[in-house]
Amino acid sequence: MTYAPSASVFTSVRQHFADPRIKESALVKVPAGAFGVQPVELTPDEAHDALYGAGSTSQLSDAVWAAALGSALADRGSHGTARLLVLWLALPPLTRTAHHISRRMRAEPGDVESEMALALFEELAALGSADPASVPLILGAARNRAWRYARSAIREIPSTRVERMTEEHAVRSVYDAPDSPASPGGLDVRVDRPDGPEGLRASLRFRVNAEHLRGPAVDDASDAEGRIPPGRCSRRRRTGRRVGTLPIRPTARRA
């Protein structure tokens, strides 16, 4: 059975265990005592019902989690079906938290789910025993990882100012510009590559209208030749790292 690609990790896991062949092979072997005097082999759906169904008890849940964790610790195969089964059994509480994080922090749901899955597998790899008491710790680590990701992602604010300038004011690259002089108000802007290993990998050159570079920040900082020293383009505190200079030349003066 094949499925269309999905950006959601949780959806992909659900689809995986919806495969009838997986349902028959991925069994949770619960030892004697939880369901009776004999050991029992549960399908993924039966194990899910034992954890979240109407007749679920703490004793039943502990037995199922212990069996699932034991299989995951013993799973050394390349597919990791037993480890994937632990994630599938943990989906109900993790899904609720993922939805809450996505709505509250406006984070991408697929990225939140990926962070949760990664944290869960890392906790499984570091697990020493199949103790059901470790399940809340594993789920807590997955939730905390997703919250940290969402809080860090919200500080990254993309800017589309250059794209808007290009679309609204027909900004063209100086390399594609004709040899004939442009309008007197046009300016060529070059951002030099810094000396250090960080930052730009090459110099940037583009053309903008003079009005975009007029204002207190540029007029006060530029020297007689129109060069803006580093750190003078804004009144915000700088880190002290040299970025480069911004030579501004009117296009009408180009040879």
Side-chain angles (χ1 to χ4, degrees), residues 31-56:
F35 291 88
V37 295
Q38 298 294 330
V40 178
E41 290 185 345
L42 303 178
T43 65
D45 289 337
E46 291 172 341
H48 186 278
D49 291 340
L51 292 175
Y52 306 106
S56 176

mmCIF file with all atom_site columns, all heavy atoms in Angstrom, residues 31-56:
data_model
loop_
_atom_site.group_PDB
_atom_site.id
_atom_site.type_symbol
_atom_site.label_atom_id
_atom_site.label_alt_id
_atom_site.label_comp_id
_atom_site.label_asym_id
_atom_site.label_entity_id
_atom_site.label_seq_id
_atom_site.pdbx_PDB_ins_code
_atom_site.Cartn_x
_atom_site.Cartn_y
_atom_site.Cartn_z
_atom_site.occupancy
_atom_site.B_iso_or_equiv
_atom_site.pdbx_formal_charge
_atom_site.auth_seq_id
_atom_site.auth_comp_id
_atom_site.auth_asym_id
_atom_site.auth_atom_id
_atom_site.pdbx_PDB_model_num
ATOM 1   N N   . PRO A 1 31 ? 3.512   -9.520  28.803 1.00 0.00 ? 31 PRO A N   1
ATOM 2   C CA  . PRO A 1 31 ? 3.695   -10.739 29.594 1.00 0.00 ? 31 PRO A CA  1
ATOM 3   C C   . PRO A 1 31 ? 2.460   -11.085 30.418 1.00 0.00 ? 31 PRO A C   1
ATOM 4   O O   . PRO A 1 31 ? 1.508   -10.310 30.514 1.00 0.00 ? 31 PRO A O   1
ATOM 5   C CB  . PRO A 1 31 ? 4.889   -10.393 30.501 1.00 0.00 ? 31 PRO A CB  1
ATOM 6   C CG  . PRO A 1 31 ? 4.860   -8.908  30.597 1.00 0.00 ? 31 PRO A CG  1
ATOM 7   C CD  . PRO A 1 31 ? 4.345   -8.402  29.278 1.00 0.00 ? 31 PRO A CD  1
ATOM 8   N N   . ALA A 1 32 ? 2.491   -12.252 31.017 1.00 0.00 ? 32 ALA A N   1
ATOM 9   C CA  . ALA A 1 32 ? 1.360   -12.723 31.819 1.00 0.00 ? 32 ALA A CA  1
ATOM 10  C C   . ALA A 1 32 ? 1.145   -11.821 33.024 1.00 0.00 ? 32 ALA A C   1
ATOM 11  O O   . ALA A 1 32 ? 2.087   -11.253 33.570 1.00 0.00 ? 32 ALA A O   1
ATOM 12  C CB  . ALA A 1 32 ? 1.613   -14.160 32.277 1.00 0.00 ? 32 ALA A CB  1
ATOM 13  N N   . GLY A 1 33 ? -0.116  -11.662 33.397 1.00 0.00 ? 33 GLY A N   1
ATOM 14  C CA  . GLY A 1 33 ? -0.443  -10.883 34.578 1.00 0.00 ? 33 GLY A CA  1
ATOM 15  C C   . GLY A 1 33 ? -1.303  -9.682  34.278 1.00 0.00 ? 33 GLY A C   1
ATOM 16  O O   . GLY A 1 33 ? -2.225  -9.375  35.021 1.00 0.00 ? 33 GLY A O   1
ATOM 17  N N   . ALA A 1 34 ? -1.056  -8.999  33.171 1.00 0.00 ? 34 ALA A N   1
ATOM 18  C CA  . ALA A 1 34 ? -1.820  -7.797  32.856 1.00 0.00 ? 34 ALA A CA  1
ATOM 19  C C   . ALA A 1 34 ? -3.212  -8.144  32.329 1.00 0.00 ? 34 ALA A C   1
ATOM 20  O O   . ALA A 1 34 ? -4.202  -7.536  32.715 1.00 0.00 ? 34 ALA A O   1
ATOM 21  C CB  . ALA A 1 34 ? -1.068  -6.946  31.848 1.00 0.00 ? 34 ALA A CB  1
ATOM 22  N N   . PHE A 1 35 ? -3.273  -9.130  31.417 1.00 0.00 ? 35 PHE A N   1
ATOM 23  C CA  . PHE A 1 35 ? -4.550  -9.505  30.815 1.00 0.00 ? 35 PHE A CA  1
ATOM 24  C C   . PHE A 1 35 ? -5.044  -10.869 31.316 1.00 0.00 ? 35 PHE A C   1
ATOM 25  O O   . PHE A 1 35 ? -6.094  -11.323 30.909 1.00 0.00 ? 35 PHE A O   1
ATOM 26  C CB  . PHE A 1 35 ? -4.426  -9.541  29.284 1.00 0.00 ? 35 PHE A CB  1
ATOM 27  C CG  . PHE A 1 35 ? -4.240  -8.195  28.674 1.00 0.00 ? 35 PHE A CG  1
ATOM 28  C CD1 . PHE A 1 35 ? -2.968  -7.664  28.521 1.00 0.00 ? 35 PHE A CD1 1
ATOM 29  C CD2 . PHE A 1 35 ? -5.319  -7.450  28.252 1.00 0.00 ? 35 PHE A CD2 1
ATOM 30  C CE1 . PHE A 1 35 ? -2.791  -6.416  27.947 1.00 0.00 ? 35 PHE A CE1 1
ATOM 31  C CE2 . PHE A 1 35 ? -5.151  -6.209  27.680 1.00 0.00 ? 35 PHE A CE2 1
ATOM 32  C CZ  . PHE A 1 35 ? -3.882  -5.675  27.527 1.00 0.00 ? 35 PHE A CZ  1
ATOM 33  N N   . GLY A 1 36 ? -4.281  -11.513 32.130 1.00 0.00 ? 36 GLY A N   1
ATOM 34  C CA  . GLY A 1 36 ? -4.656  -12.836 32.611 1.00 0.00 ? 36 GLY A CA  1
ATOM 35  C C   . GLY A 1 36 ? -3.413  -13.628 32.963 1.00 0.00 ? 36 GLY A C   1
ATOM 36  O O   . GLY A 1 36 ? -2.339  -13.074 33.171 1.00 0.00 ? 36 GLY A O   1
ATOM 37  N N   . VAL A 1 37 ? -3.573  -14.945 33.021 1.00 0.00 ? 37 VAL A N   1
ATOM 38  C CA  . VAL A 1 37 ? -2.459  -15.810 33.423 1.00 0.00 ? 37 VAL A CA  1
ATOM 39  C C   . VAL A 1 37 ? -1.526  -16.103 32.268 1.00 0.00 ? 37 VAL A C   1
ATOM 40  O O   . VAL A 1 37 ? -0.405  -16.570 32.478 1.00 0.00 ? 37 VAL A O   1
ATOM 41  C CB  . VAL A 1 37 ? -3.003  -17.127 34.014 1.00 0.00 ? 37 VAL A CB  1
ATOM 42  C CG1 . VAL A 1 37 ? -3.753  -16.841 35.298 1.00 0.00 ? 37 VAL A CG1 1
ATOM 43  C CG2 . VAL A 1 37 ? -3.905  -17.855 33.019 1.00 0.00 ? 37 VAL A CG2 1
ATOM 44  N N   . GLN A 1 38 ? -1.961  -15.820 31.035 1.00 0.00 ? 38 GLN A N   1
ATOM 45  C CA  . GLN A 1 38 ? -1.148  -16.118 29.870 1.00 0.00 ? 38 GLN A CA  1
ATOM 46  C C   . GLN A 1 38 ? -0.648  -14.823 29.225 1.00 0.00 ? 38 GLN A C   1
ATOM 47  O O   . GLN A 1 38 ? -1.339  -13.799 29.257 1.00 0.00 ? 38 GLN A O   1
ATOM 48  C CB  . GLN A 1 38 ? -1.960  -16.920 28.830 1.00 0.00 ? 38 GLN A CB  1
ATOM 49  C CG  . GLN A 1 38 ? -2.447  -18.280 29.330 1.00 0.00 ? 38 GLN A CG  1
ATOM 50  C CD  . GLN A 1 38 ? -1.282  -19.221 29.595 1.00 0.00 ? 38 GLN A CD  1
ATOM 51  O OE1 . GLN A 1 38 ? -0.227  -19.132 28.951 1.00 0.00 ? 38 GLN A OE1 1
ATOM 52  N NE2 . GLN A 1 38 ? -1.468  -20.123 30.549 1.00 0.00 ? 38 GLN A NE2 1
ATOM 53  N N   . PRO A 1 39 ? 0.561   -14.849 28.635 1.00 0.00 ? 39 PRO A N   1
ATOM 54  C CA  . PRO A 1 39 ? 1.033   -13.671 27.885 1.00 0.00 ? 39 PRO A CA  1
ATOM 55  C C   . PRO A 1 39 ? 0.143   -13.408 26.672 1.00 0.00 ? 39 PRO A C   1
ATOM 56  O O   . PRO A 1 39 ? -0.471  -14.329 26.129 1.00 0.00 ? 39 PRO A O   1
ATOM 57  C CB  . PRO A 1 39 ? 2.457   -14.053 27.481 1.00 0.00 ? 39 PRO A CB  1
ATOM 58  C CG  . PRO A 1 39 ? 2.508   -15.529 27.552 1.00 0.00 ? 39 PRO A CG  1
ATOM 59  C CD  . PRO A 1 39 ? 1.547   -15.940 28.623 1.00 0.00 ? 39 PRO A CD  1
ATOM 60  N N   . VAL A 1 40 ? 0.075   -12.185 26.263 1.00 0.00 ? 40 VAL A N   1
ATOM 61  C CA  . VAL A 1 40 ? -0.817  -11.783 25.171 1.00 0.00 ? 40 VAL A CA  1
ATOM 62  C C   . VAL A 1 40 ? -0.020  -10.968 24.154 1.00 0.00 ? 40 VAL A C   1
ATOM 63  O O   . VAL A 1 40 ? 0.844   -10.171 24.521 1.00 0.00 ? 40 VAL A O   1
ATOM 64  C CB  . VAL A 1 40 ? -1.987  -10.932 25.700 1.00 0.00 ? 40 VAL A CB  1
ATOM 65  C CG1 . VAL A 1 40 ? -2.888  -10.464 24.558 1.00 0.00 ? 40 VAL A CG1 1
ATOM 66  C CG2 . VAL A 1 40 ? -2.795  -11.711 26.720 1.00 0.00 ? 40 VAL A CG2 1
ATOM 67  N N   . GLU A 1 41 ? -0.322  -11.179 22.877 1.00 0.00 ? 41 GLU A N   1
ATOM 68  C CA  . GLU A 1 41 ? 0.255   -10.393 21.798 1.00 0.00 ? 41 GLU A CA  1
ATOM 69  C C   . GLU A 1 41 ? -0.828  -9.457  21.259 1.00 0.00 ? 41 GLU A C   1
ATOM 70  O O   . GLU A 1 41 ? -1.870  -9.912  20.778 1.00 0.00 ? 41 GLU A O   1
ATOM 71  C CB  . GLU A 1 41 ? 0.791   -11.285 20.683 1.00 0.00 ? 41 GLU A CB  1
ATOM 72  C CG  . GLU A 1 41 ? 2.033   -12.062 21.072 1.00 0.00 ? 41 GLU A CG  1
ATOM 73  C CD  . GLU A 1 41 ? 2.613   -12.834 19.902 1.00 0.00 ? 41 GLU A CD  1
ATOM 74  O OE1 . GLU A 1 41 ? 1.896   -12.984 18.882 1.00 0.00 ? 41 GLU A OE1 1
ATOM 75  O OE2 . GLU A 1 41 ? 3.779   -13.264 19.993 1.00 0.00 ? 41 GLU A OE2 1
ATOM 76  N N   . LEU A 1 42 ? -0.582  -8.163  21.333 1.00 0.00 ? 42 LEU A N   1
ATOM 77  C CA  . LEU A 1 42 ? -1.560  -7.165  20.922 1.00 0.00 ? 42 LEU A CA  1
ATOM 78  C C   . LEU A 1 42 ? -1.150  -6.529  19.598 1.00 0.00 ? 42 LEU A C   1
ATOM 79  O O   . LEU A 1 42 ? 0.029   -6.236  19.371 1.00 0.00 ? 42 LEU A O   1
ATOM 80  C CB  . LEU A 1 42 ? -1.692  -6.071  21.979 1.00 0.00 ? 42 LEU A CB  1
ATOM 81  C CG  . LEU A 1 42 ? -2.078  -6.509  23.394 1.00 0.00 ? 42 LEU A CG  1
ATOM 82  C CD1 . LEU A 1 42 ? -2.107  -5.293  24.315 1.00 0.00 ? 42 LEU A CD1 1
ATOM 83  C CD2 . LEU A 1 42 ? -3.411  -7.222  23.409 1.00 0.00 ? 42 LEU A CD2 1
ATOM 84  N N   . THR A 1 43 ? -2.110  -6.315  18.740 1.00 0.00 ? 43 THR A N   1
ATOM 85  C CA  . THR A 1 43 ? -1.858  -5.537  17.533 1.00 0.00 ? 43 THR A CA  1
ATOM 86  C C   . THR A 1 43 ? -1.701  -4.062  17.932 1.00 0.00 ? 43 THR A C   1
ATOM 87  O O   . THR A 1 43 ? -2.074  -3.670  19.052 1.00 0.00 ? 43 THR A O   1
ATOM 88  C CB  . THR A 1 43 ? -3.021  -5.683  16.545 1.00 0.00 ? 43 THR A CB  1
ATOM 89  O OG1 . THR A 1 43 ? -4.199  -5.105  17.123 1.00 0.00 ? 43 THR A OG1 1
ATOM 90  C CG2 . THR A 1 43 ? -3.276  -7.146  16.210 1.00 0.00 ? 43 THR A CG2 1
ATOM 91  N N   . PRO A 1 44 ? -1.181  -3.218  17.055 1.00 0.00 ? 44 PRO A N   1
ATOM 92  C CA  . PRO A 1 44 ? -1.077  -1.794  17.393 1.00 0.00 ? 44 PRO A CA  1
ATOM 93  C C   . PRO A 1 44 ? -2.405  -1.173  17.800 1.00 0.00 ? 44 PRO A C   1
ATOM 94  O O   . PRO A 1 44 ? -2.459  -0.388  18.751 1.00 0.00 ? 44 PRO A O   1
ATOM 95  C CB  . PRO A 1 44 ? -0.519  -1.171  16.106 1.00 0.00 ? 44 PRO A CB  1
ATOM 96  C CG  . PRO A 1 44 ? 0.271   -2.275  15.480 1.00 0.00 ? 44 PRO A CG  1
ATOM 97  C CD  . PRO A 1 44 ? -0.492  -3.526  15.783 1.00 0.00 ? 44 PRO A CD  1
ATOM 98  N N   . ASP A 1 45 ? -3.496  -1.529  17.110 1.00 0.00 ? 45 ASP A N   1
ATOM 99  C CA  . ASP A 1 45 ? -4.801  -0.979  17.474 1.00 0.00 ? 45 ASP A CA  1
ATOM 100 C C   . ASP A 1 45 ? -5.243  -1.459  18.853 1.00 0.00 ? 45 ASP A C   1
ATOM 101 O O   . ASP A 1 45 ? -5.812  -0.679  19.640 1.00 0.00 ? 45 ASP A O   1
ATOM 102 C CB  . ASP A 1 45 ? -5.847  -1.375  16.424 1.00 0.00 ? 45 ASP A CB  1
ATOM 103 C CG  . ASP A 1 45 ? -5.648  -0.639  15.102 1.00 0.00 ? 45 ASP A CG  1
ATOM 104 O OD1 . ASP A 1 45 ? -5.023  0.436   15.116 1.00 0.00 ? 45 ASP A OD1 1
ATOM 105 O OD2 . ASP A 1 45 ? -6.113  -1.155  14.068 1.00 0.00 ? 45 ASP A OD2 1
ATOM 106 N N   . GLU A 1 46 ? -5.006  -2.716  19.160 1.00 0.00 ? 46 GLU A N   1
ATOM 107 C CA  . GLU A 1 46 ? -5.382  -3.246  20.470 1.00 0.00 ? 46 GLU A CA  1
ATOM 108 C C   . GLU A 1 46 ? -4.549  -2.602  21.573 1.00 0.00 ? 46 GLU A C   1
ATOM 109 O O   . GLU A 1 46 ? -5.066  -2.306  22.665 1.00 0.00 ? 46 GLU A O   1
ATOM 110 C CB  . GLU A 1 46 ? -5.213  -4.761  20.485 1.00 0.00 ? 46 GLU A CB  1
ATOM 111 C CG  . GLU A 1 46 ? -6.223  -5.497  19.597 1.00 0.00 ? 46 GLU A CG  1
ATOM 112 C CD  . GLU A 1 46 ? -5.915  -6.976  19.469 1.00 0.00 ? 46 GLU A CD  1
ATOM 113 O OE1 . GLU A 1 46 ? -4.750  -7.363  19.747 1.00 0.00 ? 46 GLU A OE1 1
ATOM 114 O OE2 . GLU A 1 46 ? -6.811  -7.742  19.093 1.00 0.00 ? 46 GLU A OE2 1
ATOM 115 N N   . ALA A 1 47 ? -3.263  -2.392  21.318 1.00 0.00 ? 47 ALA A N   1
ATOM 116 C CA  . ALA A 1 47 ? -2.415  -1.719  22.301 1.00 0.00 ? 47 ALA A CA  1
ATOM 117 C C   . ALA A 1 47 ? -2.876  -0.278  22.509 1.00 0.00 ? 47 ALA A C   1
ATOM 118 O O   . ALA A 1 47 ? -2.876  0.238   23.644 1.00 0.00 ? 47 ALA A O   1
ATOM 119 C CB  . ALA A 1 47 ? -0.959  -1.748  21.853 1.00 0.00 ? 47 ALA A CB  1
ATOM 120 N N   . HIS A 1 48 ? -3.282  0.377   21.433 1.00 0.00 ? 48 HIS A N   1
ATOM 121 C CA  . HIS A 1 48 ? -3.788  1.751   21.527 1.00 0.00 ? 48 HIS A CA  1
ATOM 122 C C   . HIS A 1 48 ? -5.053  1.794   22.380 1.00 0.00 ? 48 HIS A C   1
ATOM 123 O O   . HIS A 1 48 ? -5.222  2.683   23.230 1.00 0.00 ? 48 HIS A O   1
ATOM 124 C CB  . HIS A 1 48 ? -4.063  2.288   20.124 1.00 0.00 ? 48 HIS A CB  1
ATOM 125 C CG  . HIS A 1 48 ? -4.448  3.727   20.072 1.00 0.00 ? 48 HIS A CG  1
ATOM 126 N ND1 . HIS A 1 48 ? -5.740  4.162   20.308 1.00 0.00 ? 48 HIS A ND1 1
ATOM 127 C CD2 . HIS A 1 48 ? -3.713  4.842   19.836 1.00 0.00 ? 48 HIS A CD2 1
ATOM 128 C CE1 . HIS A 1 48 ? -5.789  5.476   20.193 1.00 0.00 ? 48 HIS A CE1 1
ATOM 129 N NE2 . HIS A 1 48 ? -4.571  5.917   19.911 1.00 0.00 ? 48 HIS A NE2 1
ATOM 130 N N   . ASP A 1 49 ? -5.966  0.834   22.166 1.00 0.00 ? 49 ASP A N   1
ATOM 131 C CA  . ASP A 1 49 ? -7.202  0.783   22.962 1.00 0.00 ? 49 ASP A CA  1
ATOM 132 C C   . ASP A 1 49 ? -6.903  0.500   24.431 1.00 0.00 ? 49 ASP A C   1
ATOM 133 O O   . ASP A 1 49 ? -7.591  1.012   25.319 1.00 0.00 ? 49 ASP A O   1
ATOM 134 C CB  . ASP A 1 49 ? -8.141  -0.289  22.403 1.00 0.00 ? 49 ASP A CB  1
ATOM 135 C CG  . ASP A 1 49 ? -8.706  0.096   21.041 1.00 0.00 ? 49 ASP A CG  1
ATOM 136 O OD1 . ASP A 1 49 ? -8.686  1.305   20.715 1.00 0.00 ? 49 ASP A OD1 1
ATOM 137 O OD2 . ASP A 1 49 ? -9.151  -0.805  20.299 1.00 0.00 ? 49 ASP A OD2 1
ATOM 138 N N   . ALA A 1 50 ? -5.884  -0.319  24.683 1.00 0.00 ? 50 ALA A N   1
ATOM 139 C CA  . ALA A 1 50 ? -5.530  -0.616  26.075 1.00 0.00 ? 50 ALA A CA  1
ATOM 140 C C   . ALA A 1 50 ? -5.001  0.626   26.785 1.00 0.00 ? 50 ALA A C   1
ATOM 141 O O   . ALA A 1 50 ? -5.148  0.756   28.007 1.00 0.00 ? 50 ALA A O   1
ATOM 142 C CB  . ALA A 1 50 ? -4.483  -1.730  26.111 1.00 0.00 ? 50 ALA A CB  1
ATOM 143 N N   . LEU A 1 51 ? -4.416  1.551   26.034 1.00 0.00 ? 51 LEU A N   1
ATOM 144 C CA  . LEU A 1 51 ? -3.886  2.780   26.640 1.00 0.00 ? 51 LEU A CA  1
ATOM 145 C C   . LEU A 1 51 ? -4.938  3.872   26.757 1.00 0.00 ? 51 LEU A C   1
ATOM 146 O O   . LEU A 1 51 ? -4.963  4.615   27.751 1.00 0.00 ? 51 LEU A O   1
ATOM 147 C CB  . LEU A 1 51 ? -2.703  3.301   25.822 1.00 0.00 ? 51 LEU A CB  1
ATOM 148 C CG  . LEU A 1 51 ? -1.427  2.469   25.827 1.00 0.00 ? 51 LEU A CG  1
ATOM 149 C CD1 . LEU A 1 51 ? -0.405  3.074   24.869 1.00 0.00 ? 51 LEU A CD1 1
ATOM 150 C CD2 . LEU A 1 51 ? -0.836  2.374   27.229 1.00 0.00 ? 51 LEU A CD2 1
ATOM 151 N N   . TYR A 1 52 ? -5.788  4.007   25.741 1.00 0.00 ? 52 TYR A N   1
ATOM 152 C CA  . TYR A 1 52 ? -6.690  5.151   25.681 1.00 0.00 ? 52 TYR A CA  1
ATOM 153 C C   . TYR A 1 52 ? -8.163  4.760   25.602 1.00 0.00 ? 52 TYR A C   1
ATOM 154 O O   . TYR A 1 52 ? -9.027  5.653   25.540 1.00 0.00 ? 52 TYR A O   1
ATOM 155 C CB  . TYR A 1 52 ? -6.339  6.020   24.468 1.00 0.00 ? 52 TYR A CB  1
ATOM 156 C CG  . TYR A 1 52 ? -4.890  6.426   24.433 1.00 0.00 ? 52 TYR A CG  1
ATOM 157 C CD1 . TYR A 1 52 ? -4.000  5.838   23.531 1.00 0.00 ? 52 TYR A CD1 1
ATOM 158 C CD2 . TYR A 1 52 ? -4.394  7.388   25.311 1.00 0.00 ? 52 TYR A CD2 1
ATOM 159 C CE1 . TYR A 1 52 ? -2.668  6.201   23.500 1.00 0.00 ? 52 TYR A CE1 1
ATOM 160 C CE2 . TYR A 1 52 ? -3.056  7.758   25.280 1.00 0.00 ? 52 TYR A CE2 1
ATOM 161 C CZ  . TYR A 1 52 ? -2.196  7.163   24.375 1.00 0.00 ? 52 TYR A CZ  1
ATOM 162 O OH  . TYR A 1 52 ? -0.872  7.517   24.357 1.00 0.00 ? 52 TYR A OH  1
ATOM 163 N N   . GLY A 1 53 ? -8.485  3.473   25.613 1.00 0.00 ? 53 GLY A N   1
ATOM 164 C CA  . GLY A 1 53 ? -9.875  3.043   25.525 1.00 0.00 ? 53 GLY A CA  1
ATOM 165 C C   . GLY A 1 53 ? -10.633 3.243   26.827 1.00 0.00 ? 53 GLY A C   1
ATOM 166 O O   . GLY A 1 53 ? -10.068 3.631   27.866 1.00 0.00 ? 53 GLY A O   1
ATOM 167 N N   . ALA A 1 54 ? -11.936 2.941   26.743 1.00 0.00 ? 54 ALA A N   1
ATOM 168 C CA  . ALA A 1 54 ? -12.793 3.150   27.917 1.00 0.00 ? 54 ALA A CA  1
ATOM 169 C C   . ALA A 1 54 ? -12.407 2.240   29.078 1.00 0.00 ? 54 ALA A C   1
ATOM 170 O O   . ALA A 1 54 ? -12.564 2.609   30.241 1.00 0.00 ? 54 ALA A O   1
ATOM 171 C CB  . ALA A 1 54 ? -14.261 2.913   27.518 1.00 0.00 ? 54 ALA A CB  1
ATOM 172 N N   . GLY A 1 55 ? -11.925 1.036   28.780 1.00 0.00 ? 55 GLY A N   1
ATOM 173 C CA  . GLY A 1 55 ? -11.578 0.101   29.848 1.00 0.00 ? 55 GLY A CA  1
ATOM 174 C C   . GLY A 1 55 ? -10.131 0.159   30.288 1.00 0.00 ? 55 GLY A C   1
ATOM 175 O O   . GLY A 1 55 ? -9.648  -0.757  30.969 1.00 0.00 ? 55 GLY A O   1
ATOM 176 N N   . SER A 1 56 ? -9.413  1.233   29.944 1.00 0.00 ? 56 SER A N   1
ATOM 177 C CA  . SER A 1 56 ? -7.998  1.335   30.285 1.00 0.00 ? 56 SER A CA  1
ATOM 178 C C   . SER A 1 56 ? -7.810  1.550   31.784 1.00 0.00 ? 56 SER A C   1
ATOM 179 O O   . SER A 1 56 ? -8.566  2.278   32.423 1.00 0.00 ? 56 SER A O   1
ATOM 180 C CB  . SER A 1 56 ? -7.357  2.487   29.508 1.00 0.00 ? 56 SER A CB  1
ATOM 181 O OG  . SER A 1 56 ? -6.011  2.657   29.882 1.00 0.00 ? 56 SER A OG  1
#
